[in-house]
Amino acid sequence: MSLTSLVGKLFIPRQRALEKYQHEGEALQRAVLSHLIKTAGDTEFGRNHAFSSMKDYEDFISQVPVNTYEELKGDIDRMRHGEADILWPGKVKWYAKSSGTTNDKSKFIPVSPEGLQKIHYAGGRDSVAIYLRNNPKSRMFDGKGLILGGSHAPNYNLKDSLVGDLSAILIENINPLVNFVRVPKKQTALLSDFEVKRERIAEEAMNQNVTNISGVPSWMLSVLTCMMELTGKTHLEEVWPNIEVFFHGGVAFTPYREQYKRLITSPNMHYMETYNASEGFFGIQDDPADKAMLLMLDYGVFYEFIPMEGGAPIPLWAVETGKNYAMVISTSCGLWRYEIGDTVQFTSTNPYKFIISGRTKHFINAFGEELIVDNAEQGLAYACEQTGAEVLEYTAAPVFMDEKAKCRHQWLIEFSKRPADLQQFADLLDKRLQEINSDYEAKRYKDITLQHLEIVEARPSLFNDWLKLRGKLGGQHKVPRLSNSRETIEQLLKLNS
């Protein structure tokens, strides 16, 4: 009997518990909210918002306002300086540094011991539980896992307090037993220089029996490409013959799918998307044939959703399929009615399944076109499919009016495999965007409001160079895909010249 068969039995109770998601979503979420309110009742935030008098969700929303990071920033900074019982009981020693802001200022997200175990690690365990349920013949525990992470640094020089990428905090606090089944070694995994780390990871991992990999698709691809160069091999299964699954998250997988298919040709390879952010672990792709993810309902996260067309936040049990919502969370890390900045669309409510449709600040609506990231991903996937091209990185922004008084969208794209005809690629992208977005189609009508999109081809490594200049190469850092502002694209175009 394989080790995976034995270890797999440990996941059976949780696999059965996940069946409650089908019909008990509201009850599970109400229980989470009750636990959060009760646990935080004696914190400063709990006392200021009369948690002790709350009986239900209606009391909660009447007494606690919706918050952005700016509203909680002062309290979080006090926590970072060692104050206890502010947003969550006790002292919080770990802070996930997030670059998910448009004003280039970092956010520091508290990661409490309970949040670490019952949100972040719970998501990792459930990812494995669902994968094993879907793949009973798996042998993933018969080899090792390559876990790609970022780096961390001391937090205000407080003892045992860390600030850095969430992935680094997870590696730093992981159960020591896990280190026997993972690569690279901890010292390598936490290196801050990604270019040095990438080569060391490749050197340490290439002679191991790696069966599973986890990380952000863009950075993982960089590590795997480096390993191919070191080994002189063409396909990953030539190095790791037993590779079987990639647990990926952080950025949309669509631009990278074809590159991974080319790199890993084994018919036994699986891909599983997760929605794990600095603020929490929210979703897992539970059906390989469905790109939607299962919303995780019994962690320390209570969800609300703001309709993007306007209106007040609503609880999970009031959402409708097909609508675009901004996500609001309350968590056991001390985030209360916190706007995370991501937008989602539900595809099912029994169980609750969703896709990430974009960012509340990462869209283009300069002319009423309401272009979201999900539209962009679909459009690029279509253009790539029709032309055989492969997109490595991209960003897009509006050109409000050029010297001929013309308005358009400008796309800066770095291809790993360029199309033979760049104009044909642009035509196909523009055509597909009109097919899937009626607002974009209306604005494109007869070129009156919005002219045909423009594609500028990026030189190799442009986006990596841009991230490196900003000190954000590696880890969970990502390129903003869409923006109403030209700030990002202008910086990149300047580097591209």
Side-chain angles (χ1 to χ4, degrees):
M1 181 176 287
S2 74
L3 180 60
T4 307
S5 298
L6 294 171
V7 175
K9 295 182 188 303
L10 300 175
F11 290 91
I12 292 175
R14 181 56 182 166
Q15 290 166 347
R16 289 173 178 160
L18 288 171
E19 294 173 6
K20 293 182 180 179
Y21 281 29
Q22 186 73 31
H23 301 294
E24 299 179 31
E26 180 176 347
L28 290 170
Q29 275 287 278
R30 286 189 182 275
V32 168
L33 180 60
S34 178
H35 168 74
L36 294 176
I37 292 170
K38 183 178 179 181
T39 305
D42 287 332
T43 63
E44 182 179 298
F45 191 91
R47 291 191 297 272
N48 289 344
H49 294 87
F51 276 20
S52 60
S53 69
M54 290 181 185
K55 295 182 175 63
D56 51 28
Y57 172 66
E58 287 66 30
D59 289 342
F60 180 64
I61 61 173
S62 69
Q63 292 169 216
V64 180
V66 173
N67 293 292
T68 63
Y69 182 77
E70 282 65 33
E71 273 97 39
L72 297 179
K73 182 179 179 180
D75 285 337
I76 291 173
D77 201 55
R78 289 168 58 200
M79 293 165 67
R80 288 186 62 206
H81 278 91
E83 291 191 47
D85 304 319
I86 305 297
L87 295 173
W88 192 252
K91 290 186 179 182
V92 177
K93 294 184 176 182
W94 308 309
Y95 296 86
K97 186 177 180 180
S98 170
S99 58
T101 56
T102 54
N103 59 7
D104 293 340
K105 292 180 180 177
S106 295
K107 297 186 293 185
F108 298 91
I109 306 300
V111 182
S112 70
E114 180 175 328
L116 190 67
Q117 294 297 330
K118 296 185 178 179
I119 300 176
H120 295 292
Y121 287 144
R125 289 190 295 269
D126 279 353
S127 298
V128 175
I130 291 171
Y131 176 71
L132 293 178
R133 183 198 68 191
N134 292 341
N135 300 277
K137 294 182 180 179
S138 169
R139 302 289 294 267
M140 67 173 288
F141 286 109
D142 291 52
K144 293 189 175 183
L146 169 59
I147 302 175
L148 198 58
S151 60
H152 60 61
N155 169 51
Y156 287 141
N157 293 315
L158 296 181
K159 188 176 186 298
D160 300 325
S161 189
L162 301 173
V163 60
D165 289 340
L166 172 69
S167 55
I169 293 171
L170 297 178
I171 289 172
E172 184 65 50
N173 291 283
I174 205 165
N175 186 315
L177 292 175
V178 177
N179 289 318
F180 290 107
V181 293
R182 60 170 286 275
V183 289
K185 60 187 179 185
K186 192 173 178 179
Q187 181 183 3
T188 301
L190 297 176
L191 283 170
S192 58
D193 187 325
F194 181 74
E195 291 173 302
V196 173
K197 176 159 69 175
R198 175 178 56 187
E199 188 159 337
R200 288 194 188 171
I201 290 174
E203 289 171 346
E204 288 180 29
M206 65 188 189
N207 294 316
Q208 300 285 339
N209 176 28
V210 172
T211 60
N212 60 97
I213 55 178
S214 306
V216 177
S218 52
W219 303 124
M220 182 62 76
L221 188 63
S222 181
V223 169
L224 298 180
T225 300
C226 178
M227 193 167 65
M228 293 296 99
E229 292 170 356
L230 289 174
T231 61
K233 304 296 185 184
T234 304
H235 300 121
L236 192 62
E237 61 268 31
E238 295 178 82
V239 182
W240 297 329
N242 299 312
I243 186 75
E244 62 174 84
V245 60
F246 180 20
F247 299 99
H248 59 86
V251 297
F253 193 55
T254 305
Y256 307 99
R257 189 177 302 278
E258 290 304 315
Q259 294 169 75
Y260 275 94
K261 281 185 180 178
R262 194 169 69 243
L263 179 64
I264 310 170
T265 58
S266 169
N268 300 319
M269 186 64 188
H270 302 89
Y271 297 90
M272 193 167 175
E273 184 169 11
T274 61
Y275 180 13
N276 54 328
S278 299
E279 294 86 352
F281 199 117
F282 310 125
I284 299 171
Q285 184 182 10
D286 67 328
D287 180 355
D290 182 1
K291 74 172 185 174
M293 287 180 279
L294 185 70
L295 189 69
M296 310 315 291
L297 304 179
D298 55 354
Y299 296 179
V301 181
F302 180 76
Y303 301 96
E304 295 175 87
F305 301 90
I306 302 175
M308 288 300 284
E309 68 265 23
I314 58 175
L316 178 66
W317 52 89
V319 300
E320 299 176 43
T321 58
K323 289 192 172 182
N324 217 27
Y325 296 101
M327 195 158 78
V328 175
I329 57 173
S330 298
T331 79
S332 55
C333 290
L335 300 178
W336 297 103
R337 302 199 78 196
Y338 176 86
E339 289 189 70
I340 188 174
D342 288 339
T343 61
V344 299
Q345 288 180 3
F346 284 90
T347 62
S348 165
T349 55
N350 284 306
Y352 289 96
K353 297 183 70 170
F354 68 98
I355 60 167
I356 303 171
S357 53
R359 297 277 296 171
T360 54
K361 294 181 180 178
H362 290 187
F363 58 88
I364 304 179
N365 192 30
F367 314 103
E369 65 273 44
E370 296 282 0
L371 191 75
I372 61 175
V373 173
D374 187 58
N375 299 156
E377 299 288 351
Q378 288 189 54
L380 287 170
Y382 174 78
C384 285
E385 180 185 326
Q386 296 298 310
T387 63
E390 292 176 7
V391 171
L392 186 63
E393 295 285 0
Y394 74 92
T395 193
V399 174
F400 293 99
M401 197 173 287
D402 62 16
E403 67 279 1
K404 298 179 181 178
K406 299 292 186 181
C407 304
R408 64 186 182 280
H409 288 181
Q410 185 178 52
W411 294 66
L412 180 60
I413 303 177
E414 183 178 337
F415 293 98
S416 55
K417 184 179 178 184
R418 72 181 309 279
D421 186 337
L422 194 61
Q423 187 56 51
Q424 180 197 18
F425 187 93
D427 293 342
L428 289 164
L429 174 58
D430 190 70
K431 169 177 173 284
R432 185 61 178 152
L433 291 177
Q434 292 185 57
E435 290 173 350
I436 60 181
N437 183 322
S438 58
D439 290 318
Y440 182 83
E441 181 185 33
K443 300 302 178 289
R444 285 282 295 111
Y445 180 68
K446 293 188 176 180
D447 291 354
I448 295 172
T449 304
L450 191 63
Q451 280 72 53
H452 194 293
L453 63 84
E454 172 196 7
I455 292 180
V456 177
E457 187 173 358
R459 63 169 173 78
S461 298
L462 171 67
F463 289 89
N464 274 2
D465 290 347
W466 178 74
L467 287 168
K468 187 176 180 180
L469 279 173
R470 293 158 56 86
K472 294 182 176 181
L473 189 64
Q476 293 179 301
H477 302 299
K478 60 199 81 166
V479 175
R481 296 307 193 193
L482 305 178
S483 177
N484 269 333
S485 161
R486 288 192 57 82
E487 182 180 357
T488 295
I489 203 168
E490 289 293 351
Q491 291 172 1
L492 283 156
L493 287 170
K494 189 174 181 180
L495 275 180
N496 199 46
S497 59

